[in-house]
Amino acid sequence: MTRALLLLSLVAGLLFGAPAQARRLPLDPENRVHLGAALTDNQTFGITGGLDSRLTRVVSVDVGGFVSPIPLPDDVAPVSERGQDFVFMRHGVYVAPGLRLPHRQPKALQWDLVLRPGFAALFNSDVHPDNQLSPNERFQTIATPSLFGGGELLLRKDHVGLRLSGRAYLFRQFSAFENADMVLVRPQYSAELVWQF
Protein backbone atom coordinates (compact mmCIF):
# COMPACT_ATOMS: atom_id res chain seq x y z
CA MET A 1 0.00 0.00 0.00
CA THR A 2 2.81 2.38 0.86
CA ARG A 3 4.58 1.63 -2.41
CA ALA A 4 1.39 2.30 -4.37
CA LEU A 5 0.86 5.69 -2.68
CA LEU A 6 4.51 6.60 -3.27
CA LEU A 7 4.26 5.64 -6.93
CA LEU A 8 0.98 7.56 -7.34
CA SER A 9 2.44 10.73 -5.77
CA LEU A 10 5.53 10.46 -7.99
CA VAL A 11 3.42 10.13 -11.16
CA ALA A 12 1.15 13.00 -10.07
CA GLY A 13 4.18 15.19 -9.40
CA LEU A 14 5.64 14.45 -12.82
CA LEU A 15 2.37 15.08 -14.66
CA PHE A 16 0.95 18.08 -12.77
CA GLY A 17 3.92 19.62 -10.95
CA ALA A 18 5.40 22.98 -11.91
CA PRO A 19 9.05 23.06 -12.97
CA ALA A 20 11.45 24.14 -10.24
CA GLN A 21 13.96 26.82 -11.17
CA ALA A 22 16.81 27.81 -8.91
CA ARG A 23 18.39 31.06 -10.02
CA ARG A 24 20.92 33.48 -8.68
CA LEU A 25 22.65 36.45 -10.17
CA PRO A 26 25.85 35.42 -11.92
CA LEU A 27 29.09 36.66 -10.35
CA ASP A 28 31.43 38.19 -12.91
CA PRO A 29 34.98 36.88 -12.60
CA GLU A 30 37.48 39.42 -11.40
CA ASN A 31 41.09 38.60 -12.12
CA ARG A 32 43.60 41.32 -11.36
CA VAL A 33 47.18 41.34 -12.55
CA HIS A 34 49.40 43.60 -10.42
CA LEU A 35 53.00 44.77 -10.87
CA GLY A 36 54.96 47.43 -9.04
CA ALA A 37 57.72 48.39 -6.62
CA ALA A 38 58.35 47.06 -3.11
CA LEU A 39 60.44 48.24 -0.19
CA THR A 40 61.51 44.99 1.47
CA ASP A 41 62.90 44.76 4.98
CA ASN A 42 63.29 48.58 5.09
CA GLN A 43 66.54 48.03 3.14
CA THR A 44 66.14 47.16 -0.52
CA PHE A 45 63.84 48.16 -3.34
CA GLY A 46 62.58 45.52 -5.70
CA ILE A 47 59.83 44.39 -8.02
CA THR A 48 56.63 42.69 -6.90
CA GLY A 49 53.74 41.23 -8.85
CA GLY A 50 51.13 38.54 -9.09
CA LEU A 51 47.56 37.55 -9.89
CA ASP A 52 44.60 38.14 -7.59
CA SER A 53 41.45 36.16 -8.38
CA ARG A 54 38.02 36.56 -6.79
CA LEU A 55 36.34 33.45 -5.37
CA THR A 56 33.23 35.07 -3.83
CA ARG A 57 32.06 38.63 -3.21
CA VAL A 58 34.31 38.92 -0.15
CA VAL A 59 37.02 36.23 -0.61
CA SER A 60 39.88 36.29 -3.11
CA VAL A 61 43.27 34.59 -3.49
CA ASP A 62 46.47 36.39 -4.49
CA VAL A 63 49.45 34.40 -5.83
CA GLY A 64 52.64 36.30 -6.51
CA GLY A 65 56.18 37.08 -5.57
CA PHE A 66 58.85 39.71 -5.15
CA VAL A 67 62.48 39.98 -6.13
CA SER A 68 65.27 42.38 -5.14
CA PRO A 69 67.56 42.52 -8.19
CA ILE A 70 69.85 45.19 -6.74
CA PRO A 71 72.72 43.45 -4.88
CA LEU A 72 73.39 44.29 -1.27
CA PRO A 73 76.26 46.77 -0.90
CA ASP A 74 79.64 45.64 0.41
CA ASP A 75 79.24 47.63 3.62
CA VAL A 76 75.81 46.22 4.51
CA ALA A 77 77.23 44.00 7.27
CA PRO A 78 76.53 45.90 10.48
CA VAL A 79 78.67 46.23 13.57
CA SER A 80 76.23 44.52 15.88
CA GLU A 81 75.89 42.17 18.79
CA ARG A 82 72.59 40.75 17.51
CA GLY A 83 72.33 38.00 14.90
CA GLN A 84 69.04 39.38 13.53
CA ASP A 85 70.82 42.48 12.22
CA PHE A 86 72.73 40.33 9.70
CA VAL A 87 69.63 38.84 8.01
CA PHE A 88 67.96 40.58 5.04
CA MET A 89 64.88 39.45 3.08
CA ARG A 90 65.69 39.35 -0.64
CA HIS A 91 63.13 37.37 -2.66
CA GLY A 92 59.93 35.44 -2.07
CA VAL A 93 56.85 33.75 -3.48
CA TYR A 94 53.53 33.81 -1.63
CA VAL A 95 49.90 32.70 -1.53
CA ALA A 96 47.55 35.10 0.23
CA PRO A 97 43.82 34.56 0.72
CA GLY A 98 42.04 37.87 1.13
CA LEU A 99 38.96 39.00 3.02
CA ARG A 100 37.38 42.09 1.46
CA LEU A 101 35.60 44.44 3.83
CA PRO A 102 32.13 44.88 2.29
CA HIS A 103 30.91 48.40 1.57
CA ARG A 104 28.93 50.37 -1.00
CA GLN A 105 30.94 51.15 -4.12
CA PRO A 106 30.85 54.67 -5.54
CA LYS A 107 30.46 54.83 -9.32
CA ALA A 108 33.30 57.25 -10.06
CA LEU A 109 36.26 55.68 -8.23
CA GLN A 110 35.88 52.24 -6.65
CA TRP A 111 37.90 51.27 -3.59
CA ASP A 112 38.46 48.10 -1.57
CA LEU A 113 40.11 47.31 1.76
CA VAL A 114 41.38 43.72 1.95
CA LEU A 115 42.90 41.86 4.91
CA ARG A 116 45.50 39.31 3.75
CA PRO A 117 47.02 36.56 5.89
CA GLY A 118 49.11 34.01 4.02
CA PHE A 119 52.22 31.93 3.70
CA ALA A 120 55.41 32.40 1.71
CA ALA A 121 58.77 30.94 0.80
CA LEU A 122 61.42 33.59 1.50
CA PHE A 123 65.00 33.74 0.28
CA ASN A 124 67.04 35.62 2.88
CA SER A 125 70.68 36.67 2.89
CA ASP A 126 72.72 36.26 6.04
CA VAL A 127 75.62 38.70 5.66
CA HIS A 128 77.61 37.55 8.67
CA PRO A 129 81.20 36.65 7.60
CA ASP A 130 80.83 33.12 9.08
CA ASN A 131 78.10 32.41 6.50
CA GLN A 132 80.21 32.95 3.39
CA LEU A 133 80.14 29.83 1.25
CA SER A 134 83.12 30.68 -0.95
CA PRO A 135 85.20 33.71 -1.95
CA ASN A 136 83.05 34.09 -5.09
CA GLU A 137 79.77 34.10 -3.18
CA ARG A 138 79.65 36.89 -0.64
CA PHE A 139 76.44 36.04 1.22
CA GLN A 140 74.62 32.80 1.84
CA THR A 141 70.99 32.83 0.67
CA ILE A 142 68.68 30.60 2.67
CA ALA A 143 65.16 29.45 1.71
CA THR A 144 62.80 29.83 4.65
CA PRO A 145 59.07 29.16 5.10
CA SER A 146 57.14 32.11 6.44
CA LEU A 147 53.73 33.30 7.59
CA PHE A 148 52.58 36.85 7.05
CA GLY A 149 49.71 39.19 7.66
CA GLY A 150 48.80 42.56 6.27
CA GLY A 151 46.34 44.59 4.31
CA GLU A 152 45.89 46.51 1.12
CA LEU A 153 43.97 49.41 -0.30
CA LEU A 154 42.87 49.16 -3.94
CA LEU A 155 41.71 52.25 -5.86
CA ARG A 156 40.22 51.42 -9.25
CA LYS A 157 38.50 53.15 -12.14
CA ASP A 158 37.14 50.83 -14.83
CA HIS A 159 39.86 48.23 -15.49
CA VAL A 160 42.92 50.11 -14.17
CA GLY A 161 43.87 50.77 -10.56
CA LEU A 162 46.51 51.35 -7.89
CA ARG A 163 47.15 48.95 -5.03
CA LEU A 164 48.99 49.99 -1.84
CA SER A 165 49.87 47.25 0.63
CA GLY A 166 51.80 46.54 3.80
CA ARG A 167 52.80 43.18 5.25
CA ALA A 168 54.76 41.74 8.15
CA TYR A 169 56.56 38.43 7.50
CA LEU A 170 57.19 36.05 10.43
CA PHE A 171 59.90 33.41 9.97
CA ARG A 172 62.56 31.44 11.79
CA GLN A 173 66.16 31.32 10.62
CA PHE A 174 69.38 29.84 11.96
CA SER A 175 72.11 32.33 12.80
CA ALA A 176 75.76 31.28 12.71
CA PHE A 177 76.54 34.40 14.75
CA GLU A 178 74.32 33.31 17.64
CA ASN A 179 74.50 29.57 16.86
CA ALA A 180 70.73 29.34 17.39
CA ASP A 181 67.42 29.77 15.63
CA MET A 182 65.97 33.27 15.59
CA VAL A 183 62.32 34.25 15.16
CA LEU A 184 62.16 37.39 13.01
CA VAL A 185 59.43 39.76 11.88
CA ARG A 186 60.21 41.86 8.79
CA PRO A 187 58.06 44.47 6.99
CA GLN A 188 57.35 44.98 3.31
CA TYR A 189 55.54 47.89 1.64
CA SER A 190 54.49 48.03 -1.99
CA ALA A 191 52.75 50.20 -4.57
CA GLU A 192 51.48 48.43 -7.69
CA LEU A 193 49.54 49.12 -10.85
CA VAL A 194 46.53 46.85 -11.34
CA TRP A 195 44.76 45.72 -14.48
CA GLN A 196 41.44 43.89 -14.02
CA PHE A 197 39.94 41.54 -16.59
Side-chain angles (χ1 to χ4, degrees):
M1 179 70 172
T2 307
R3 289 183 187 169
L5 285 176
L6 199 59
L7 182 63
L8 183 62
S9 63
L10 180 63
V11 170
L14 289 173
L15 293 176
F16 303 111
Q21 296 179 354
R23 292 187 184 195
R24 72 184 255 207
L25 294 174
L27 190 62
D28 291 334
E30 284 185 2
N31 295 313
R32 297 174 178 150
V33 176
H34 52 91
L35 183 67
L39 175 61
T40 302
D41 206 359
N42 290 331
Q43 292 290 330
T44 57
F45 284 98
I47 301 166
T48 183
L51 173 69
D52 183 19
S53 186
R54 177 168 78 175
L55 299 178
T56 69
R57 293 197 187 279
V58 294
V59 177
S60 65
V61 174
D62 186 19
V63 178
F66 62 92
V67 62
S68 301
I70 302 168
L72 291 169
D74 291 332
D75 60 351
V76 72
V79 177
S80 176
E81 297 298 322
R82 301 183 314 163
Q84 65 186 11
D85 294 335
F86 293 94
V87 177
F88 297 95
M89 278 188 347
R90 300 293 291 151
H91 319 296
V93 291
Y94 63 83
V95 175
L99 181 64
R100 176 181 165 267
L101 301 177
H103 61 281
R104 287 189 177 272
Q105 287 285 11
K107 290 186 178 181
L109 184 66
Q110 295 182 339
W111 62 276
D112 285 317
L113 285 174
V114 181
L115 299 176
R116 288 216 187 264
F119 57 92
L122 300 179
F123 298 90
N124 306 318
S125 289
D126 189 337
V127 300
H128 193 273
D130 291 347
N131 284 333
Q132 291 184 3
L133 296 178
S134 68
N136 297 333
E137 190 170 346
R138 291 189 308 128
F139 307 130
Q140 181 180 11
T141 301
I142 301 167
T144 308
S146 168
L147 297 175
F148 67 86
E152 65 189 43
L153 169 65
L154 174 67
L155 302 171
R156 184 174 55 85
K157 183 169 178 63
D158 297 327
H159 296 288
V160 179
L162 175 68
R163 178 173 124 158
L164 305 172
S165 65
R167 294 180 180 161
Y169 288 86
L170 171 69
F171 58 95
R172 182 188 306 193
Q173 183 161 330
F174 180 78
S175 169
F177 179 71
E178 294 190 0
N179 198 23
D181 280 340
M182 303 177 299
V183 176
L184 304 173
V185 177
R186 295 297 165 89
Q188 183 184 55
Y189 310 99
S190 63
E192 300 168 276
L193 293 176
V194 175
W195 181 63
Q196 177 174 303
F197 59 96

